[in-house]
């Protein structure tokens, strides 16, 4: 267990293989597009906004071909209160794990060193999170995971309907 994961940290993820199996991998959090000249900007792409994701050069190819899920038991958002920052922990009411929708990339440096990275997808907040933060990670319901990981599904219009706020009534916020 880790309670403070920041961009550039290696995080666990699950992706589909070419044989339609699933594999657990570690990705550096902060997407480095395959076409980047260097890996320096990866931390800036730790999150991908669901709105317009299919058209953004940094994410459009990964949305079509390189999707993954990131398991979690909860997540933090920080609320600014005056000059202080208050962390809030969000988790499922039943305290069960869930998965975030994410994209991954494989990048190779000019000298041949490989790096696999990912970006979590965010959306507008649900009613629970809205007073605290302007975004929330996309939490996929169990019924959507197979479609999200299906490598045969490459049309953004079949994937974008999954990128919505998770139901607030299923979640709890703890300061």
């Amino acid at each position: 267990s880790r309670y403070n994961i920041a961009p550039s940290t290696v995080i666990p993820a699950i992706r589909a293989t070419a044989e339609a199996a699933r594999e657990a991998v570690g990705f550096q959090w902060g997407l480095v597009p395959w076409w980047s000249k260097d890996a320096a900007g990866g931390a800036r792409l730790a999150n991908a906004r669901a709105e317009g994701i299919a058209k953004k050069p940094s994410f459009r190819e990964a949305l079509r071909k390189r999707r993954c899920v990131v398991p979690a038991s909860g997540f933090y958002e920080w609320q600014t209160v005056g000059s202080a920052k208050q962390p809030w922990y969000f988790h499922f009411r039943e305290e069960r794990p869930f998965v975030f929708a994410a994209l991954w990339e494989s990048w190779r440096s000019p000298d041949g060193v490989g790096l696999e990275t990912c970006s979590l997808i965010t959306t507008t907040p649900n009613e629970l999170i809205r007073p605290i933060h302007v975004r929330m990670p996309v939490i996929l319901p169990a019924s959507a995971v197979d479609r999200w990981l299906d490598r045969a599904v490459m049309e953004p219009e079949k994937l974008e309907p999954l990128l919505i706020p998770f139901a607030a009534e299923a979640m709890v916020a703890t300061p």
Side-chain angles (χ1 to χ4, degrees):
S1 292
R2 292 184 290 172
Y3 300 100
N4 190 15
I5 299 172
S8 80
T9 303
V10 174
I11 59 175
I14 300 163
R15 67 180 171 194
T17 66
E19 298 79 29
R22 294 187 180 164
E23 68 178 347
V25 294
F27 289 132
Q28 180 176 300
W29 183 19
L31 192 114
V32 178
W34 63 268
W35 43 262
S36 289
K37 293 188 186 335
D38 62 55
R44 290 192 310 269
L45 297 177
N47 297 322
R49 294 175 68 95
E51 304 84 2
I53 194 170
K55 292 182 171 58
K56 296 209 171 35
S58 296
F59 305 116
R60 67 180 170 219
E61 197 66 16
L63 178 65
R64 292 183 65 242
K65 299 179 180 177
R66 290 178 292 280
R67 298 178 303 273
C68 62
V69 294
V70 174
S73 57
F75 63 96
Y76 288 92
E77 292 295 355
W78 295 79
Q79 179 183 36
T80 303
V81 182
S83 61
K85 292 215 176 220
Q86 168 69 54
W88 286 82
Y89 177 59
F90 296 94
H91 58 93
F92 277 6
R93 191 169 299 283
E94 301 122 11
E95 297 188 21
R96 62 181 170 84
F98 54 86
V99 294
F100 297 127
L103 306 172
W104 67 274
E105 279 287 2
S106 185
W107 177 83
R108 192 158 300 283
S109 70
D111 60 353
V113 176
L115 178 64
E116 289 193 317
T117 62
C118 70
S119 183
L120 300 182
I121 301 174
T122 66
T123 189
T124 55
N126 63 26
E127 299 80 25
L128 179 68
I129 297 170
R130 188 173 296 117
I132 296 158
H133 203 270
V134 298
R135 305 291 297 167
M136 71 176 285
V138 172
I139 299 170
L140 292 174
S143 62
V145 172
D146 286 341
R147 183 172 6 151
W148 184 253
L149 292 178
D150 187 344
R151 291 169 53 123
V153 177
M154 298 175 69
E155 303 85 359
E157 58 274 5
K158 291 182 179 178
L159 299 165
E160 288 174 321
L162 303 176
L163 305 179
I164 59 174
F166 200 83
E169 59 273 6
M171 301 176 71
V172 174
T174 306

